[in-house]
Amino acid sequence: MLRKGLVITTVVLLPIATVLFLISIHDLFKMKVVTVDPKLREISGIEFDKYKRLWAINDSGDGPVLYMLNKEGRIQRQVTVTNAKNVDWEDMTQNKFGHFFLGDFGNNDNNRRWLTIYKIENPIDIKTDTTEAEIIKFTYPQMRKGKVKPHEKNFDLEAFVEFNRHLYLFTKNRTQPFDGITKLYKVGDHAANFDAQLIGEFKTCRTLEKLCWITSAALSPDRKKLVLLDSTSLWLFENFESDNFFSGDVSRIDLGVVTQKEAVTFYDNNTLVFTDEEYKGLVGGNIYEVKLDQAKRNVIKYRQSEKQNEQPLKQ
């Protein structure tokens, strides 16, 4: 009887799971814009320049190169940063002047003590195929000497934004057991050696780390919306106070099926663009677009000082 019950349960649940999976695939691919050039199979950061042209960087394994893409996702131009190395480039952001910041701060094993950010001029002002960068270095004061213990492994980094002449860094949590917390650090935006200042934290989930660790961040052009990206979701932060990004309203946008989503940016104040890496030629390698005024949001938290009558949902 027990075996028969299991068979019946499997027969019933399998079609349901299949339908849900197909719906999840559809939810993601209805956002797709184009497939990116095969040379950019491991996009880890994207930004639009002041002419609304999309630039991208690859993860480790590539050179210190920026790629400008056309509307079909093909590479139109390349710029090499001559005084840089691509040890593990993980994200890209820009300030209001259009200077680009390239984050060479991937730290999978939590063993890199000093990490690097390259600051380059506005790409619209780069007239040749090379440029030089201003070099920003930082370390974590909380990182003890010696091997980092499993429960302390929160010094990997794949996401940052620029705000009010500072850079804000969101860690990629690799703690064991996984506690789902991304930590927010702050450093300067100019050439110097910094001790990263810990200023906040936010918990995404405590299930599987690959579903909800943070892989990219973006700040809207008007500096009023912050987005964090993981493999399944966009986390939207609004109505925050100064640089206390986690103080305001928080909502989550479901991105459908799990893929290796690694880069996000704003096209304008209402439009988000994100990418995923190609996986064995089967899935990923695409550029997607989300309109915030059309996206379905799961509200996580309202700022209580403004919305006393609203009850926040549990994460």
Side-chain angles (χ1 to χ4, degrees):
M1 291 297 293
L2 178 59
R3 180 178 295 179
K4 182 178 180 181
L6 289 173
V7 171
I8 293 174
T9 300
T10 302
V11 170
V12 172
L13 293 182
L14 186 58
I16 295 175
T18 301
V19 170
L20 292 175
F21 178 70
L22 293 175
I23 291 173
S24 185
I25 292 176
H26 176 263
D27 287 344
L28 176 63
F29 280 87
K30 70 182 180 182
M31 307 176 202
K32 178 181 172 180
V33 179
V34 295
T35 298
V36 297
D37 193 290
K39 193 172 183 179
L40 286 161
R41 290 189 176 92
E42 295 188 357
I43 287 183
S44 58
I46 54 174
E47 277 294 325
F48 287 98
D49 66 21
K50 298 301 182 182
Y51 294 150
K52 294 299 183 184
R53 300 174 303 194
L54 185 64
W55 292 79
I57 56 174
N58 263 330
D59 206 333
S60 58
D62 197 5
V65 182
L66 286 81
Y67 302 91
M68 190 180 78
L69 305 179
N70 61 22
K71 293 182 179 180
E72 288 72 45
R74 304 300 96 185
I75 295 173
Q76 185 172 333
R77 185 184 171 199
Q78 297 182 199
V79 173
T80 299
V81 185
T82 55
N83 62 334
K85 294 181 180 179
N86 185 345
V87 177
D88 197 355
W89 285 17
E90 288 292 358
D91 204 9
M92 185 158 56
T93 191
Q94 66 176 300
N95 61 19
K96 64 181 180 180
F97 303 107
H99 298 114
F100 275 27
F101 297 84
L102 319 173
D104 187 358
F105 41 45
N107 196 11
N108 292 4
D109 296 325
N110 282 247
N111 58 5
R112 295 178 70 185
R113 299 285 168 172
W114 282 93
L115 302 170
T116 304
I117 297 170
Y118 298 105
K119 180 180 180 180
I120 65 172
E121 61 188 315
N122 189 329
I124 67 175
D125 295 324
I126 300 174
K127 305 304 180 184
T128 65
D129 59 0
T130 62
T131 191
E132 286 194 0
E134 186 176 330
I135 299 176
I136 302 165
K137 295 278 189 178
F138 68 93
T139 190
Y140 300 103
Q142 292 79 12
M143 199 173 183
R144 302 175 186 178
K145 292 182 179 180
K147 189 174 181 180
V148 177
K149 296 178 181 179
H151 69 277
E152 297 175 337
K153 287 189 173 183
N154 207 346
F155 300 106
D156 191 11
L157 187 61
E158 293 194 5
F160 73 142
V161 298
E162 189 279 341
F163 183 69
N164 286 346
R165 302 301 301 271
H166 287 86
L167 298 171
Y168 293 84
L169 321 168
F170 303 87
T171 62
K172 182 178 183 180
N173 189 308
R174 292 183 181 273
T175 56
Q176 300 173 16
F178 181 68
D179 63 19
I181 294 173
T182 180
K183 293 188 176 182
L184 172 59
Y185 289 88
K186 175 181 178 180
V187 299
D189 72 338
H190 54 278
N193 293 339
F194 294 97
D195 283 339
Q197 178 186 355
L198 179 62
I199 62 173
E201 60 182 42
F202 178 78
K203 182 180 291 185
T204 52
C205 77
R206 295 183 64 178
T207 53
L208 297 175
E209 64 270 19
K210 290 181 173 61
L211 299 182
C212 56
W213 55 22
I214 300 303
T215 57
S216 187
L219 203 60
S220 60
D222 64 7
R223 292 340 210 200
K224 293 182 179 180
K225 300 182 184 72
L226 169 74
V227 162
L228 301 181
L229 175 71
D230 65 30
S231 296
T232 64
S233 315
L234 290 166
W235 297 87
L236 177 63
F237 301 84
E238 302 174 282
N239 299 317
F240 45 80
E241 298 176 358
S242 186
D243 63 355
N244 187 6
F245 299 117
F246 304 145
S247 65
D249 303 336
V250 185
S251 56
R252 175 182 171 272
I253 300 171
D254 188 355
L255 298 180
V257 69
V258 176
T259 59
Q260 193 168 344
K261 302 173 182 71
E262 293 280 343
V264 65
T265 191
F266 278 86
Y267 178 79
D268 56 37
N269 291 321
N270 185 55
T271 309
L272 280 162
V273 173
F274 67 94
T275 67
D276 55 9
E277 293 188 6
E278 180 185 285
Y279 179 73
K280 296 183 178 180
L282 300 174
V283 296
N286 302 314
I287 298 173
Y288 308 86
E289 182 180 277
V290 176
K291 296 286 186 181
L292 290 179
D293 61 356
Q294 299 173 15
K296 182 180 178 181
R297 304 186 194 182
N298 175 27
V299 176
I300 305 300
K301 179 176 74 72
Y302 281 117
R303 190 167 61 180
Q304 296 302 296
S305 61
E306 290 188 358
K307 301 181 180 180
Q308 296 291 337
N309 296 325
E310 298 287 351
Q311 296 297 318
L313 300 179
K314 292 183 179 180
Q315 292 184 36

